[in-house]
Amino acid sequence: MKSGQSLKWLKSLGVLLFAASLYSPSAYASVEEGYLPLRSMLEQSGARVTWEQSSQTAFFTLHNGASGSVTIGSSEYKFEGTTVKLNGRIQLISDATYVPPGLIELVLSRLSAGQPPESTQPAQPDKERPRLAEVTADGETESVDSGDDAADDPAIWLHPEDSSKSRIIATNKGGGILVYDLFGKQVQSYELGKMNNIDVRYGFPLNGKKIDIAAATNRSANTVDVFAIVPETGELKSITSQPIQPAMKEVYGFSLYHSLKTDKFYALVLGKDGEFEQIELIPGTDGITGKRVRDFKVSSQAEGIVADDEYAIIYLAEEDKAIWKVGAEPGSGSKPEASVDDVNSSHLTADIEGLTLYYAADGKGYLLASSQGSSTYAVYERQGNNRYLGSFGIKDGAIDGTSETDGIDVLGFGLGDAYPNGIFVAQDDENIDNGTAVNQNFKIVAWDKLAKSFKNPLLVDNGIDPRQLVNRRK
């Protein structure tokens, strides 16, 4: 930031802090002395504030990327992975979040204490500040039929002959699976139960043919449901010959893994209590059955999970803790091998939710993670130790931005004239249409635009066909 800009910004912050010190709640009934409205005070400083109805939590992200949250009824707040005590409880009054005296000043002081919003110098020596890029959505799907927290996880399916006819297959926790075209129009709907997470793979051997499959966790039946994808239309046909029932109490997170070493396919299932099960999908004349080949447990709830078929690695997100890394083959062990990143860094704010992989040539590419608490997405290298590269957010434009995202997916392969360099798809917790909150949906961003939004642009490689991945496991 230039010195003149810095001085102007600090003067503005000073005015805001002074206003907070003089703010009188007398015009608001039932507001305790000294309490301030969180959203209106922070947004004046350029911060972004979002609301999660299900948990009664307000999440905020400051101009410099630092983030935190407050929950109604709690006497604590979270900031940059640290829990701090307050001198009173967070209150919800007339649909507004009010916070105890001193909290606004403390939060905003993180911007003024030698750390202007656009500075790249860490506020603490052991924390790298996120390099936040911002993009607007290029498209969005139609809203899901169900209200409240219903839309959850998208998976992009590549049409085998005409990539412009590819589909976004997504879960609706209110009752099923939805299929959209690349313009966001719903073309199929399947009422199957409370479907949570979904994934696709190509080349599954069934009755002498290689077929594309989609599979998802069904929380109503506590099963893994597997479908053949009809290549001409993208329609789904159930192909499980008997229910695939994991041992866990409640199925939750999900991914598929195709071993390029053995040509076997696996369902990777996470439970609400941190359970992990790897289930081999076995083809038969009557359809698919499942056989559990590995299980272990992390210490708390985990949902986001993705498998890198080329490197035979699984990444899973323990929501309040870290992104873990473990070998994908059944004999790879019973505990995570390493942590990619955690909520004690400034890159991730709980909950850590959806994970996805961008494949590029020569084994390059990216791991992307939804940092739900900050309504941003962290990007890491696919190779080696998964070096952190930066974060981005989807802001309001002609289409509203995203907030508190659950599931995400990305595909770099060219998808016709509309998206010649692929797309990134993200669930949107608060979908706004003409200023009014409507049912949730999924936002679509052109990958090349997203890649160019970074100070050091990300790779753009539209030639990696997910049907032709290469075994890179050493």
Coordinates of all heavy atoms in Angstrom, one line a residue, residues 203-240:
G203 N -14.8 -45.3 -16.6 CA -14.2 -46.6 -17.0 C -14.4 -47.7 -16.0 O -13.6 -48.6 -15.9
F204 N -15.5 -47.7 -15.3 CA -15.8 -48.8 -14.4 C -16.3 -50.0 -15.2 O -17.1 -49.9 -16.1 CB -16.9 -48.4 -13.4 CG -17.2 -49.5 -12.3 CD1 -16.5 -49.4 -11.1 CD2 -18.1 -50.5 -12.5 CE1 -16.7 -50.4 -10.2 CE2 -18.3 -51.4 -11.6 CZ -17.6 -51.4 -10.4
P205 N -15.7 -51.2 -14.9 CA -16.0 -52.4 -15.7 C -17.3 -53.1 -15.2 O -17.3 -53.5 -14.1 CB -14.8 -53.3 -15.5 CG -14.3 -52.9 -14.1 CD -14.6 -51.5 -14.0
L206 N -18.3 -53.2 -16.1 CA -19.5 -53.8 -15.7 C -20.1 -54.5 -16.9 O -20.4 -53.9 -17.9 CB -20.5 -52.8 -15.1 CG -21.8 -53.3 -14.5 CD1 -21.5 -54.1 -13.3 CD2 -22.8 -52.2 -14.2
N207 N -20.3 -55.8 -16.8 CA -20.9 -56.7 -17.8 C -20.2 -56.4 -19.2 O -20.9 -56.3 -20.2 CB -22.4 -56.4 -17.9 CG -23.1 -56.8 -16.6 OD1 -22.8 -57.9 -16.0 ND2 -24.1 -56.1 -16.2
G208 N -18.9 -56.4 -19.2 CA -18.2 -56.4 -20.4 C -18.0 -55.0 -21.0 O -17.5 -54.9 -22.1
K209 N -18.5 -54.0 -20.3 CA -18.4 -52.6 -20.8 C -17.7 -51.7 -19.8 O -17.6 -52.0 -18.6 CB -19.8 -52.0 -21.1 CG -20.6 -52.7 -22.2 CD -21.9 -52.1 -22.4 CE -22.7 -52.8 -23.5 NZ -24.1 -52.1 -23.7
K210 N -17.1 -50.6 -20.3 CA -16.6 -49.6 -19.4 C -17.6 -48.5 -19.3 O -18.0 -47.9 -20.3 CB -15.3 -49.0 -20.0 CG -14.2 -50.1 -20.1 CD -13.5 -50.3 -18.7 CE -12.2 -51.1 -18.9 NZ -11.5 -51.3 -17.6
I211 N -18.0 -48.2 -18.1 CA -19.1 -47.2 -17.9 C -18.6 -46.0 -17.0 O -17.7 -46.2 -16.2 CB -20.4 -47.8 -17.4 CG1 -20.2 -48.3 -15.9 CG2 -20.9 -48.9 -18.3 CD1 -21.4 -48.7 -15.2
D212 N -19.3 -44.9 -17.1 CA -19.1 -43.8 -16.1 C -20.0 -44.0 -15.0 O -21.2 -44.4 -15.2 CB -19.3 -42.5 -16.8 CG -18.4 -42.2 -18.0 OD1 -17.4 -42.9 -18.1 OD2 -18.7 -41.3 -18.8
I213 N -19.5 -43.7 -13.8 CA -20.4 -43.9 -12.6 C -20.4 -42.6 -11.7 O -19.4 -41.8 -11.7 CB -20.0 -45.1 -11.7 CG1 -18.5 -44.9 -11.1 CG2 -20.1 -46.4 -12.5 CD1 -18.1 -45.9 -10.1
A214 N -21.5 -42.4 -11.0 CA -21.6 -41.4 -10.0 C -22.0 -42.2 -8.7 O -22.8 -43.2 -8.8 CB -22.7 -40.4 -10.3
A215 N -21.5 -41.8 -7.6 CA -21.9 -42.4 -6.3 C -22.0 -41.3 -5.2 O -21.3 -40.3 -5.3 CB -20.9 -43.5 -5.9
A216 N -22.9 -41.6 -4.2 CA -23.1 -40.6 -3.2 C -23.5 -41.3 -1.9 O -24.0 -42.4 -1.9 CB -24.3 -39.7 -3.6
T217 N -23.3 -40.6 -0.8 CA -23.8 -41.0 0.5 C -25.2 -40.7 0.7 O -25.6 -39.5 0.5 CB -22.9 -40.4 1.6 OG1 -22.6 -39.1 1.3 CG2 -21.6 -41.2 1.8
N218 N -26.0 -41.6 1.1 CA -27.5 -41.5 1.4 C -27.7 -41.5 2.9 O -27.7 -42.6 3.5 CB -28.2 -42.5 0.6 CG -29.8 -42.3 0.7 OD1 -30.3 -41.8 1.7 ND2 -30.5 -42.8 -0.3
R219 N -27.9 -40.4 3.5 CA -28.0 -40.4 5.0 C -29.4 -40.9 5.4 O -29.6 -41.2 6.6 CB -27.8 -38.9 5.5 CG -26.3 -38.5 5.3 CD -26.1 -37.0 5.6 NE -26.4 -36.6 6.9 CZ -26.3 -35.4 7.3 NH1 -26.0 -34.4 6.5 NH2 -26.6 -35.0 8.6
S220 N -30.4 -40.9 4.5 CA -31.7 -41.5 4.9 C -31.6 -43.0 5.1 O -32.2 -43.6 6.0 CB -32.7 -41.2 3.8 OG -32.9 -39.8 3.7
A221 N -30.9 -43.7 4.2 CA -30.8 -45.1 4.2 C -29.5 -45.6 4.8 O -29.3 -46.8 5.1 CB -30.9 -45.7 2.8
N222 N -28.5 -44.6 5.1 CA -27.2 -44.9 5.6 C -26.5 -45.9 4.7 O -25.9 -46.9 5.1 CB -27.2 -45.5 7.0 CG -25.9 -45.2 7.8 OD1 -25.5 -44.1 7.8 ND2 -25.3 -46.2 8.3
T223 N -26.5 -45.5 3.4 CA -25.9 -46.4 2.3 C -25.0 -45.5 1.4 O -25.1 -44.3 1.4 CB -27.0 -47.0 1.5 OG1 -27.8 -46.0 0.9 CG2 -27.8 -48.0 2.3
V224 N -24.2 -46.2 0.6 CA -23.5 -45.6 -0.5 C -24.3 -46.1 -1.8 O -24.5 -47.3 -2.0 CB -22.1 -46.1 -0.6 CG1 -21.5 -45.6 -1.9 CG2 -21.3 -45.6 0.6
D225 N -24.9 -45.1 -2.5 CA -25.7 -45.4 -3.7 C -24.8 -45.2 -4.9 O -24.2 -44.1 -5.1 CB -26.9 -44.6 -3.7 CG -27.9 -44.8 -2.6 OD1 -27.6 -45.8 -1.8 OD2 -28.8 -44.1 -2.4
V226 N -24.8 -46.1 -5.9 CA -24.0 -46.0 -7.1 C -24.9 -46.1 -8.3 O -25.8 -46.8 -8.4 CB -23.0 -47.2 -7.1 CG1 -22.0 -47.0 -8.3 CG2 -22.2 -47.3 -5.8
F227 N -24.5 -45.2 -9.3 CA -25.4 -45.0 -10.5 C -24.5 -45.1 -11.7 O -23.3 -44.6 -11.7 CB -26.1 -43.7 -10.5 CG -26.9 -43.4 -9.2 CD1 -26.2 -42.8 -8.1 CD2 -28.2 -43.8 -9.1 CE1 -26.9 -42.6 -6.9 CE2 -28.9 -43.6 -7.9 CZ -28.3 -42.9 -6.9
A228 N -25.0 -45.7 -12.8 CA -24.4 -45.5 -14.1 C -24.9 -44.2 -14.7 O -26.0 -43.8 -14.6 CB -24.8 -46.7 -15.0
I229 N -23.9 -43.5 -15.4 CA -24.3 -42.3 -16.1 C -24.5 -42.6 -17.5 O -23.6 -43.1 -18.2 CB -23.2 -41.2 -15.9 CG1 -22.9 -41.0 -14.4 CG2 -23.6 -39.9 -16.6 CD1 -21.7 -40.1 -14.2
V230 N -25.8 -42.4 -18.0 CA -26.1 -42.6 -19.4 C -25.3 -41.6 -20.3 O -25.5 -40.4 -20.2 CB -27.6 -42.5 -19.7 CG1 -27.9 -42.8 -21.1 CG2 -28.4 -43.5 -18.8
P231 N -24.4 -42.1 -21.2 CA -23.5 -41.2 -21.9 C -24.3 -40.2 -22.8 O -23.8 -39.0 -22.9 CB -22.6 -42.1 -22.7 CG -23.3 -43.4 -22.7 CD -24.1 -43.5 -21.5
E232 N -25.4 -40.6 -23.4 CA -26.1 -39.7 -24.3 C -26.8 -38.5 -23.6 O -26.8 -37.4 -24.1 CB -27.1 -40.4 -25.1 CG -26.5 -41.5 -26.1 CD -26.1 -42.8 -25.4 OE1 -26.5 -43.0 -24.2 OE2 -25.4 -43.6 -26.0
T233 N -27.3 -38.7 -22.4 CA -28.1 -37.8 -21.7 C -27.6 -37.3 -20.3 O -28.1 -36.3 -19.8 CB -29.5 -38.3 -21.5 OG1 -29.4 -39.5 -20.6 CG2 -30.1 -38.8 -22.8
G234 N -26.7 -38.0 -19.7 CA -26.3 -37.7 -18.4 C -27.3 -38.2 -17.3 O -27.1 -37.9 -16.1
E235 N -28.3 -39.0 -17.7 CA -29.2 -39.5 -16.7 C -28.5 -40.6 -15.8 O -27.5 -41.2 -16.2 CB -30.4 -40.2 -17.5 CG -31.3 -39.3 -18.2 CD -32.4 -40.0 -19.0 OE1 -32.1 -40.5 -20.1 OE2 -33.5 -40.1 -18.4
L236 N -29.1 -40.8 -14.7 CA -28.5 -41.7 -13.7 C -29.4 -43.0 -13.6 O -30.6 -42.9 -13.5 CB -28.4 -41.1 -12.3 CG -27.6 -39.7 -12.3 CD1 -27.6 -39.2 -10.8 CD2 -26.2 -39.9 -12.8
K237 N -28.8 -44.2 -13.6 CA -29.4 -45.4 -13.4 C -28.8 -46.2 -12.3 O -27.6 -46.4 -12.3 CB -29.4 -46.3 -14.7 CG -29.9 -45.6 -15.9 CD -31.4 -45.4 -15.9 CE -31.9 -44.8 -17.2 NZ -33.4 -44.6 -17.2
S238 N -29.6 -46.6 -11.3 CA -29.0 -47.3 -10.1 C -28.4 -48.6 -10.5 O -29.1 -49.4 -11.3 CB -30.1 -47.5 -9.0 OG -29.6 -48.3 -8.0
I239 N -27.2 -49.0 -10.1 CA -26.6 -50.2 -10.4 C -26.1 -51.0 -9.2 O -25.2 -51.9 -9.4 CB -25.4 -50.0 -11.4 CG1 -24.4 -48.9 -10.9 CG2 -26.0 -49.6 -12.8 CD1 -23.2 -48.8 -11.8
T240 N -26.5 -50.7 -8.0 CA -26.2 -51.5 -6.9 C -27.1 -52.7 -6.8 O -28.3 -52.6 -6.8 CB -26.3 -50.7 -5.6 OG1 -27.5 -50.0 -5.5 CG2 -25.1 -49.7 -5.5

